[in-house]
């Protein structure tokens, strides 16, 4: 039976509204930016997939013949864990809900490394010393890059926002990517052969406390917790604005949203902004490492640290400086926190530039550490590291590890050793190599107590091992110094 025109209009309107509601429901399927074409997922661990959708709806997630289903919760969130896979790909990851399907193409399974820190990690490949030579050759479809947008937040953010996406390594994509990370990833690809994903999350000029959860700073060792005394006084002045300097502000926006994604390890190049508080950094860096291991649910997460490079005017006399103290804090972390490695850059800095352009050697040295300590490949992980010392009359013997073919780059005696007696006054010392040891003495110190090596902002160094890797700056004493008590910026 025919209906009247007003009735037909009402029916058409109802049908149109129902259609719009259906389309709206179907359109509510969203994935975070890191779940996108070209992504790398971590091998040998369950593969998390998550997103948002219409509450109560069903979600199906498919990777090859692995299918998982779940129900979207009342808050609109959902997550599944796909089965463990070995390295390989490419694969298609499909997510479907309410008639809407999202295909994530060209998915690789391999190792994902998080690359973080301040400006020397952020420094782009195109501004490095070898870009014109190396840049055109940097093509590797199984090396994938992802850069996190630089943001701050007052509280932990659940997921990344924005248009960040994965890209394969090409001369164009590598040019704007972190130079240190680019060389690191390419070397891993060359030596290990599996797909590698690099997640770059750094910001120039930033302090370690900004990358550390605020709650962990508050509950940290006394020197670390003291940071909050400073911010308790300053926060009323901030009037709600979140700054780069605030504890946790970068962790909240740039690390916490990555927590769901399993990773193989971290490379970390930071410390310049904390040098004035190096005594505090001695506790702060392990606090950061422990925090990240907890949020990634991996108590042994490998962590590779780049020790600060040489910088500022060279010194001819012994001196105690914040940069020497900061390097010592980095070494302390590597020697006391399991699973932490140290890469020395004391020979490749620039007296006049806090951003040395040689990022190639830094990246290759990080890769060498990872190959030895993470992948179990038989390579020397670092330059000589002081392992023991002994007083022998009026001289001191320093015994090194990673010291096969201990030598100097110029064939001369080792430089930048200083020695002190009970008065704690250091004097320039002579040094000679004996096997895996260096023997140190000075006519000015008849009863030596302590030795320091490369203890300056910009020391002259020439001590290396057979791999031409530089000896790591160190001290045998535990005497307080110029940054020991400072806890506030």
């Amino acid at each position: 039976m025919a209906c009247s025109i007003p009735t037909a209009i009402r029916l058409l309107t109802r049908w149109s509204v129902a259609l719009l509601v259906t389309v709206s429901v179907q359109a509510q399927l969203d994935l975070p930016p890191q779940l996108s074409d070209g992504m790398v997922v971590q091998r040998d661990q369950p593969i998390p997939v998550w997103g948002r959708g219409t509450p109560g709806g069903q979600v199906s997630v498919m990777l090859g013949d692995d299918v998982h289903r779940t129900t979207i919760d009342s808050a609109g969130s959902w997550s599944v864990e796909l089965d463990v896979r070995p390295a390989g790909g490419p694969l298609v990851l499909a997510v479907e809900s309410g008639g809407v399907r999202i295909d994530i193409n060209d998915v690789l399974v391999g190792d994902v490394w998080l690359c973080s820190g301040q400006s020397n990690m952020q420094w782009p490949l195109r501004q490095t010393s070898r870009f014109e030579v190396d840049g055109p050759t940097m093509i590797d479809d199984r090396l994938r890059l992802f850069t996190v947008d630089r943001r701050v937040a007052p509280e932990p953010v659940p997921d990344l926002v924005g248009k960040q996406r994965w890209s394969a390594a090409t001369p164009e994509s590598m040019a704007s990517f972190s130079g240190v990370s680019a060389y690191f990833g390419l070397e891993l690809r060359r030596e290990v052969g599996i797909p590698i994903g690099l997640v770059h999350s750094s910001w120039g000029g930033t302090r370690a406390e900004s990358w550390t959860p605020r709650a962990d700073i508050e509950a940290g060792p006394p020197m670390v917790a003291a940071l909050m005394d400073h911010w308790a006084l300053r926060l009323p002045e901030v009037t709600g604005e979140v700054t780069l300097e605030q504890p946790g502000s970068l962790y909240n926006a740039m690390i916490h949203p990555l927590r769901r994604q399993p990773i193989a390890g971290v490379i970390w190049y930071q410390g310049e902004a904390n040098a004035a508080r190096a005594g505090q950094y001695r506790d702060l860096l392990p606090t950061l490492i422990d925090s990240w291991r907890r949020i990634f649910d991996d108590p042994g997460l490998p962590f590779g640290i780049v020790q600060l490079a040489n910088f500022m005017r060279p010194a001819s006399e012994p001196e105690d400086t914040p940069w020497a103290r900061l390097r010592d804090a980095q070494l302390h972390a590597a020697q006391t926190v399991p699973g932490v490695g140290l890469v020395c850059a004391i020979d490749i800095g620039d007296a006049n530039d806090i951003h040395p352009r040689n990022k190639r050697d830094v990246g290759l040295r990080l890769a060498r550490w990872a190959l030895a300590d993470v992948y179990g490949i038989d390579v020397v992980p670092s330059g000589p590291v002081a392992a023991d010392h002994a007083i022998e009359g009026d001289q001191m013997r320093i015994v090194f590890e990673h010291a096969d073919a201990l030598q100097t780059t110029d064939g001369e005696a080792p430089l930048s050793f200083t020695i002190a007696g009970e008065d704690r006054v250091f004097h320039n010392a002579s040094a000679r190599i004996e096997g895996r040891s260096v023997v140190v003495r000075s006519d000015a110190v008849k009863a030596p107590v302590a030795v320091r090596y490369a203890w300056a902002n910009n020391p002259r160094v020439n001590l290396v091992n057979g791999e031409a890797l530089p000896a790591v700056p160190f001290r045998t004493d535990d005497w307080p110094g110029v940054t020991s008590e400072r806890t506030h910026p």
Side-chain angles (χ1 to χ4, degrees), residues 147-151 160-164 200-201 203 253-254:
T147 296
V148 175
D149 285 349
R150 293 193 288 276
R151 301 174 186 271
L160 295 177
V161 296
K163 298 181 179 180
Q164 306 119 106
H200 171 221
S201 183
W203 197 329
M254 297 178 64

Side-chain angles (χ1 to χ4, degrees), residues 101-142:
R101 175 176 168 130
I102 298 175
D103 283 346
I104 302 173
N105 298 299
D106 195 21
V107 176
L108 299 180
V109 184
D111 280 348
V112 180
W113 283 83
L114 175 57
C115 316
S116 189
Q118 58 178 107
S119 53
N120 274 307
M121 180 61 82
Q122 182 184 329
W123 200 260
L125 183 72
R126 64 172 176 268
Q127 295 181 23
T128 63
S129 58
R130 288 182 55 90
F131 176 65
E132 297 299 327
V133 175
D134 296 337
T137 71
M138 290 184 164
I139 303 172
D140 189 336
D141 184 59
R142 294 174 81 79

Side-chain angles (χ1 to χ4, degrees), residues 228-250:
M228 299 313 302
D229 297 335
H230 169 75
W231 280 101
L233 297 174
R234 285 207 58 209
L235 284 174
E237 303 171 9
V238 176
T239 63
E241 179 183 356
V242 183
T243 69
L244 282 177
E245 294 80 18
Q246 284 179 239
S249 60
L250 294 171

Side-chain angles (χ1 to χ4, degrees), residues 27-324:
Q28 292 183 26
L29 181 60
D30 298 306
L31 302 177
Q34 63 264 50
L35 301 185
S36 55
D37 289 350
M39 67 184 289
V40 180
V41 296
Q42 181 61 40
R43 62 172 172 154
D44 302 331
Q45 294 194 41
I47 301 170
V49 183
W50 69 98
R52 297 191 59 78
T54 303
Q58 298 296 306
V59 176
S60 297
V61 181
M62 295 148 281
L63 184 64
D65 58 359
D66 186 13
V67 181
H68 283 63
R69 296 179 176 85
T70 191
T71 301
I72 303 170
D73 68 21
S74 59
S77 297
W78 60 269
S79 65
V80 302
E81 278 195 346
L82 301 177
D83 295 343
V84 171
R85 284 180 176 267
L91 302 167
V92 175
L93 174 65
V95 183
E96 189 171 8
S97 180
V100 174
R101 175 176 168 130
I102 298 175
D103 283 346
I104 302 173
N105 298 299
D106 195 21
V107 176
L108 299 180
V109 184
D111 280 348
V112 180
W113 283 83
L114 175 57
C115 316
S116 189
Q118 58 178 107
S119 53
N120 274 307
M121 180 61 82
Q122 182 184 329
W123 200 260
L125 183 72
R126 64 172 176 268
Q127 295 181 23
T128 63
S129 58
R130 288 182 55 90
F131 176 65
E132 297 299 327
V133 175
D134 296 337
T137 71
M138 290 184 164
I139 303 172
D140 189 336
D141 184 59
R142 294 174 81 79
L143 175 62
R144 304 293 171 83
L145 319 174
F146 186 95
T147 296
V148 175
D149 285 349
R150 293 193 288 276
R151 301 174 186 271
V152 295
E155 300 295 335
V157 175
D159 278 310
L160 295 177
V161 296
K163 298 181 179 180
Q164 306 119 106
R165 290 294 184 269
W166 289 89
S167 62
T170 66
E172 293 74 27
S173 63
M174 293 287 253
S176 58
F177 198 68
S178 159
V180 166
S181 305
Y183 282 111
F184 170 77
L186 283 171
E187 185 68 2
L188 290 190
R189 280 282 303 128
R190 187 176 74 86
E191 294 292 337
V192 181
I194 66 171
I196 297 292
L198 301 176
V199 178
H200 171 221
S201 183
S202 68
W203 197 329
T206 54
R207 300 166 178 163
E209 58 264 31
S210 302
W211 295 100
T212 308
R214 181 170 171 176
D216 291 342
I217 292 174
E218 292 173 338
M223 287 280 285
V224 174
L227 275 164
M228 299 313 302
D229 297 335
H230 169 75
W231 280 101
L233 297 174
R234 285 207 58 209
L235 284 174
E237 303 171 9
V238 176
T239 63
E241 179 183 356
V242 183
T243 69
L244 282 177
E245 294 80 18
Q246 284 179 239
S249 60
L250 294 171
Y251 164 81
N252 291 339
M254 297 178 64
I255 300 298
H256 187 80
L258 304 173
R259 71 199 181 283
R260 295 177 183 263
Q261 182 175 13
I263 58 176
V266 176
I267 55 173
W268 173 256
Y269 195 165
Q270 190 277 339
E272 297 91 341
N274 286 84
R277 293 176 285 125
Q280 181 186 65
Y281 198 82
R282 191 177 175 92
D283 289 334
L284 179 56
L285 182 55
T287 299
L288 180 149
I289 294 168
D290 289 346
S291 299
W292 288 22
R293 286 175 166 176
R294 187 170 58 256
I295 68 115
F296 283 105
D297 194 24
D298 186 350
L301 184 68
F303 217 97
I305 300 167
V306 181
Q307 198 179 43
L308 294 189
N310 48 313
F311 176 54
M312 294 176 275
R313 64 169 181 82
S316 58
E317 295 298 324
E319 59 180 358
D320 191 17
T321 71
W323 274 51

Side-chain angles (χ1 to χ4, degrees), residues 338-362:
V340 174
L342 185 73
V343 165
C344 181
I346 198 64
D347 60 329
I348 51 177
D350 187 326
N352 301 309
D353 195 339
I354 200 171
H355 303 120
R357 299 302 195 267
N358 181 356
K359 302 304 186 199
R360 177 179 181 273
D361 284 337
V362 178

